[in-house]
Amino acid sequence: MFGCLVAGRLVQAVAQQVAQDKFVFDLPDYENINHVVVFMLGTVPFPEGMGGSVYFCYPDQSGMAVWQLLGFVTNEKPSAIFKISGLKSGKGSQHPFGAMNIPQTPSVAQIGISVELLEHLAQQTPVASAAVSSVDSFTQFTQKMLDSFYNFASSFAVTQAQMTPNPSEAFIPANVVLKWYENFQRRLAQNPFFWKT
C-alpha cells in the first residue's frame, strides 16, 4: 500500500505491518538522511474517509523511541516529501505507536504510517521543521537577498561631488537600483513565480 524513498537508496515498497492499521519502514544510517518521500503505491487506496498520518521515529540518547508527526498522505494527496534532518534532536509528540514494542536499534530510524479518519488527521499539527521549502521560504529568501544587495550597493554610494573621473569604471545611479529593487519587490508580492515566465 505504501512506499518510502530516500535519495541515493533503493525504494522500499514493502512496509512492516505492526498492527492492522499501522506500518513502519526502517531507515538505516538515518543520521545521513535529509529528506524522505512517503507515497502510496496506487495498488490499494485508503478506505473512504481515511488517510495516513506519517511519523518519524528515532532512538534518543538512552535508546528510547522518539516519535514526531511529519504530515499525512491521502487518496487525494498520495505522496509527500518531508525534511527530517532537523528533527533528530527535537522532542517527541503524541503518537499512535505508543503501546507497541517496536525494536529500536542505534542508527536505525523508522517512518511510521497510521491509518486514521480524515477528521482526525485534520486536527493534528505536524512538526513545523518537517515541511519542505514552500513559496513562503522562497519569498523570504528572495526578500533577504534583495535587502542584502540593496544595502551592499548603497554602502558604496557617493555624491557627484565626491566622484573622481575614471573612464574604465561605469557608475549606476542609486535611484536606478532603488527603482529596480522596488519593482522586483512588487512583482514578487504579486506572483512569487514571475521569474519563471
Side-chain angles (χ1 to χ4, degrees), residues 65-145:
V66 177
W67 290 89
Q68 295 178 321
L69 177 65
L70 300 178
F72 60 90
V73 290
T74 64
N75 291 335
E76 291 74 34
K77 183 183 175 265
S79 64
I81 302 171
F82 303 107
K83 181 178 179 183
I84 63 169
S85 58
L87 303 179
K88 297 161 193 158
S89 59
K91 291 185 175 183
S93 60
Q94 191 172 13
H95 60 87
F97 296 90
M100 303 183 163
N101 190 12
I102 302 171
Q104 289 296 305
T105 309
S107 80
V108 176
Q110 292 173 319
I111 292 293
I113 303 167
S114 175
V115 179
E116 302 172 13
L117 291 170
L118 290 176
E119 295 86 44
H120 186 250
L121 294 179
Q123 296 171 4
Q124 297 176 349
T125 305
V127 177
S129 57
V132 177
S133 58
S134 64
V135 171
D136 290 337
S137 63
F138 172 76
T139 303
Q140 288 173 351
F141 165 75
T142 305
Q143 185 64 47
K144 295 282 186 191
M145 182 183 67

Side-chain angles (χ1 to χ4, degrees), residues 12-91:
Q12 294 185 50
V14 180
Q16 176 186 354
Q17 190 168 1
V18 294
Q20 182 177 349
D21 58 350
K22 311 242 182 318
F23 305 84
V24 295
F25 290 100
D26 286 338
L27 298 177
D29 194 27
Y30 75 94
E31 294 92 347
N32 296 314
I33 298 174
N34 290 321
H35 295 83
V36 64
V37 180
V38 175
F39 57 94
M40 295 177 64
L41 296 175
T43 54
V44 179
F46 283 110
E48 188 67 32
M50 303 294 278
S53 56
V54 180
Y55 291 84
F56 174 62
C57 174
Y58 65 94
D60 67 8
Q61 293 169 340
S62 63
M64 298 299 294
V66 177
W67 290 89
Q68 295 178 321
L69 177 65
L70 300 178
F72 60 90
V73 290
T74 64
N75 291 335
E76 291 74 34
K77 183 183 175 265
S79 64
I81 302 171
F82 303 107
K83 181 178 179 183
I84 63 169
S85 58
L87 303 179
K88 297 161 193 158
S89 59
K91 291 185 175 183

